[in-house]
Amino acid sequence: MNAFLVDKPPVPIPGSHPLLGGRYSLERALLSSDGAQRWMAIEAASGRLVVVALAEPGRLSTFGRDVTHRHLVGVIDVVKEVDPKAFPPDVRMPLGAGYAVAEHLPGKSLRTLLEAGPLHPAKAVAWTLRLADAVQALHTAGAVHGAISPRSIVAEPSGRAIAPVLSQ
């Protein structure tokens, strides 16, 4: 699941909707330049913020739900059966679509950091090696990322001591 960073401000979702999967309350649509449909949501039981991404049929099996790595955002849940009533009415819902839920990791994207100037070469090399290790962990588990870009890398994550972190 790529780019759980918000490139544009979130858009509030009008009206109320049932809990998605009985667990997640969709709060705001996340607008991204890659066209993926994602929402900031609240896990009802814990109150924590998560990101819900609608997934095309066949894509759900590639998410690294069981992959843990210090340079990967964790996937919390992967659901194959979707209740369309839990989504806003304007959502494009492909037949057979499901969704993945991942931890929300606030922070600056690598894209934002690079807009301010280039990274020091030693930092760039160290980060590349860390990200390659994270991608290797995904591939070893039979998962793929599908869209690695500066937008999908949390370069300065809040609440984590080590950077960078790749969204799944």
Side-chain angles (χ1 to χ4, degrees), residues 1-167:
M1 186 173 342
N2 96 54
F4 289 141
L5 298 171
V6 182
D7 290 335
K8 300 174 189 165
V11 177
I13 298 173
S16 63
H17 306 279
L19 290 179
L20 184 60
R23 296 180 58 188
Y24 308 102
S25 171
L26 299 181
E27 298 296 315
R28 300 183 306 273
L30 299 178
L31 302 176
S32 65
S33 57
D34 67 359
Q37 297 182 87
R38 296 184 196 95
W39 297 266
M40 187 71 67
I42 296 174
E43 186 177 37
S46 68
R48 72 177 164 168
L49 283 176
V50 297
V51 176
V52 172
L54 195 61
E56 298 288 328
R59 174 83 170 93
L60 286 172
S61 63
T62 66
F63 287 113
R65 180 179 180 183
D66 299 323
V67 180
T68 56
H69 190 282
R70 65 186 185 161
H71 295 291
L72 287 174
V73 168
V75 174
I76 299 164
D77 204 359
V78 176
V79 179
K80 293 180 182 176
E81 293 150 16
V82 176
D83 177 5
K85 294 179 201 138
F87 288 93
D90 62 337
V91 171
R92 299 178 322 272
M93 187 75 60
L95 186 62
Y99 62 90
V101 181
E103 68 176 307
H104 169 64
L105 182 62
K108 282 186 182 178
S109 71
L110 180 57
R111 176 183 181 197
T112 301
L113 203 63
L114 290 173
E115 286 172 351
L119 293 178
H120 186 277
K123 182 182 252 186
V125 169
W127 282 13
T128 300
L129 292 172
R130 291 174 188 167
L131 292 169
D133 191 48
V135 171
Q136 168 108 27
L138 281 172
H139 291 187
T140 299
V144 295
H145 186 278
I148 298 172
S149 75
R151 201 176 275 123
S152 64
I153 297 168
V154 186
E156 294 181 359
S158 303
R160 285 206 189 179
I162 189 142
V165 179
L166 180 62
S167 68

